[in-house]
Amino acid sequence: MYDEIKNFMFSEIGNRIKSKKEEYGFTNYQLAGYRNKADYEGHQKDSETDNKEDRQLRYDKYDLSIITNIVNGKFYPAKNPNLMSDSILSHLTQKLKFTTEISLLWGDFENSNFPQVLFEKVVFDILYSGNEKQKAIINDALIDYVPYAEYHSYWQMFIVGEIEMPKFPDSKFTISSSFYQIKEDEILEQYELTQKNAIKYFFYKHNESLLSMIRGFLRDEFRTDDGYSLKKIDKKISILLSRFMNYFKKNIPNDDSLGLRVRSIIISDFKKFGTLISKDLSGKQAQLELSELTQKLLVESSFAYITNLKRVQKIESEIINGNKF
């Protein structure tokens, strides 16, 4: 559960530990409490007479394989599902001279871009692994970003068929995007790109509130009476996910949204344009009627309007607010 999110969080922890390890010249053997490889191998001979707990208490040693996993930011359900135990967290904090356990876990999260990247990872994970209701809520919020409003609409119309579109004459098949002068490869490429930028745009637009929420989560949810802990991390990630979903629900764009305006135009005009294409393909009409020609011109003018709305949002975001995409 939440493997991609944990991979990111644990990888960042591993990188911080690895950096300190290199700074002080420690080996994994030394982090595990041994002097060197020979010392480690010598202690393994006691395994026939001592159990694991006895060796831990007697020699203050730690499982080398788990230490290696931690340094590499890797977790395995059978060995270290939460990356590291509380005792190892305390040990590595002191051994590597981190100022606090929270600085080992999250670094300088009050001043770094870690909260933003965590937000992007969590939202992206929901969009690809969450349930349909969660996906719909997030997409409704992300639609405020004009390029995503455009390509999400194309995606629904031509790739996954979530929006019903006109069909080929005497056929059950939807008229493909190429008849609208839009390449399918372009939709596939731009959909992922604009989706990522839409997530960034949402974060920038709600920067203060989201930063406060994420920093508070990192500061408070991992705190214990004795320090900090990664135990029950799945439950903790669920808490963050729930907070994000509630925030998205409260910030669905209204009728003033440029993105919503673009989406409405695209869906309405493309349905009408598709009907014209279907008539033309049927060969039952020698030429378009005046009203149909007018409609075609209106649809073509919509593309210019959408381009202008993109420009307006770009100016607002990049020049006024200083956020670049």
Side-chain angles (χ1 to χ4, degrees), residues 124 127-128 139 148 191-199:
F124 208 69
L127 285 172
Y128 284 87
N139 276 316
Y148 187 59
Y191 181 70
E192 183 174 347
L193 175 62
T194 57
Q195 186 179 69
K196 289 179 179 178
N197 283 339
I199 296 170

Side-chain angles (χ1 to χ4, degrees), residues 195-244:
Q195 186 179 69
K196 289 179 179 178
N197 283 339
I199 296 170
K200 291 180 185 294
Y201 179 79
F202 187 91
F203 184 87
Y204 289 140
K205 192 170 182 179
H206 302 273
N207 184 272
E208 288 187 16
S209 296
L210 289 173
L211 278 177
S212 177
M213 181 193 303
I214 298 166
R215 287 168 178 166
F217 166 78
L218 296 172
R219 189 186 308 115
D220 301 332
E221 291 301 326
F222 296 85
R223 191 195 305 270
T224 67
D225 292 338
D226 303 319
Y228 284 83
S229 175
L230 289 172
K231 285 180 180 177
K232 299 180 179 179
I233 191 163
D234 285 350
K235 183 178 179 180
K236 291 169 183 175
I237 293 174
S238 292
I239 291 171
L240 182 62
L241 188 151
S242 177
R243 291 176 185 174
F244 284 169

Side-chain angles (χ1 to χ4, degrees), residues 11-221:
S11 175
E12 291 291 300
I13 292 171
N15 287 338
R16 274 186 287 278
I17 290 173
K18 192 177 294 182
S19 177
K20 285 281 192 177
K21 170 191 160 186
E22 292 172 356
E23 178 183 347
Y24 293 115
F26 289 132
T27 65
N28 286 354
Y29 293 108
Q30 290 170 321
L31 291 184
Y34 303 96
R35 290 189 300 276
N36 48 41
K37 183 179 180 181
D39 184 33
Y40 167 74
E41 291 176 343
H43 280 89
Q44 301 315 296
K45 297 175 183 178
D46 298 333
S47 60
E48 294 182 3
T49 56
D50 291 354
N51 61 37
K52 183 178 179 180
E53 288 73 20
D54 289 338
R55 294 199 309 277
Q56 182 86 0
L57 291 170
R58 184 173 299 177
Y59 303 116
D60 195 25
K61 312 301 185 208
Y62 296 88
D63 188 317
L64 179 64
S65 65
I66 290 180
I67 292 293
T68 301
N69 289 344
I70 294 169
V71 172
N72 293 322
K74 302 294 184 182
F75 71 100
Y76 299 95
K79 265 191 172 291
N80 59 324
N82 300 314
L83 189 67
M84 71 179 92
S85 65
D86 296 353
S87 61
I88 292 181
L89 172 57
S90 175
H91 162 69
L92 290 178
T93 299
Q94 296 175 36
K95 183 77 174 178
L96 294 170
K97 300 179 183 178
F98 283 95
T99 54
T100 59
E101 291 178 357
I102 195 172
S103 67
L104 182 154
L105 292 177
W106 313 130
D108 185 16
F109 69 95
E110 298 282 1
N111 300 299
S112 72
N113 71 339
F114 180 77
Q116 178 183 343
V117 179
L118 178 60
F119 173 78
E120 293 170 6
K121 294 285 184 183
V122 172
V123 174
F124 208 69
D125 190 69
I126 298 170
L127 285 172
Y128 284 87
S129 305
N131 60 51
E132 293 307 311
K133 184 178 180 180
Q134 290 173 327
K135 294 177 185 179
I137 291 170
I138 292 178
N139 276 316
D140 284 347
L142 298 183
I143 287 298
D144 192 39
Y145 182 60
V146 172
Y148 187 59
E150 179 182 6
Y151 281 96
H152 183 60
S153 300
Y154 296 158
W155 177 270
Q156 289 182 303
M157 291 189 292
F158 303 119
I159 305 299
V160 295
E162 292 176 353
I163 297 175
E164 188 172 350
M165 296 294 289
K167 296 177 171 50
F168 286 107
D170 304 317
S171 171
K172 63 180 181 179
F173 297 107
T174 298
I175 297 172
S176 60
S177 63
S178 60
F179 285 86
Y180 299 81
Q181 304 303 309
I182 301 172
K183 296 178 181 178
E184 188 172 297
D185 286 348
E186 178 191 340
I187 297 174
L188 296 172
E189 178 183 333
Q190 289 298 315
Y191 181 70
E192 183 174 347
L193 175 62
T194 57
Q195 186 179 69
K196 289 179 179 178
N197 283 339
I199 296 170
K200 291 180 185 294
Y201 179 79
F202 187 91
F203 184 87
Y204 289 140
K205 192 170 182 179
H206 302 273
N207 184 272
E208 288 187 16
S209 296
L210 289 173
L211 278 177
S212 177
M213 181 193 303
I214 298 166
R215 287 168 178 166
F217 166 78
L218 296 172
R219 189 186 308 115
D220 301 332
E221 291 301 326

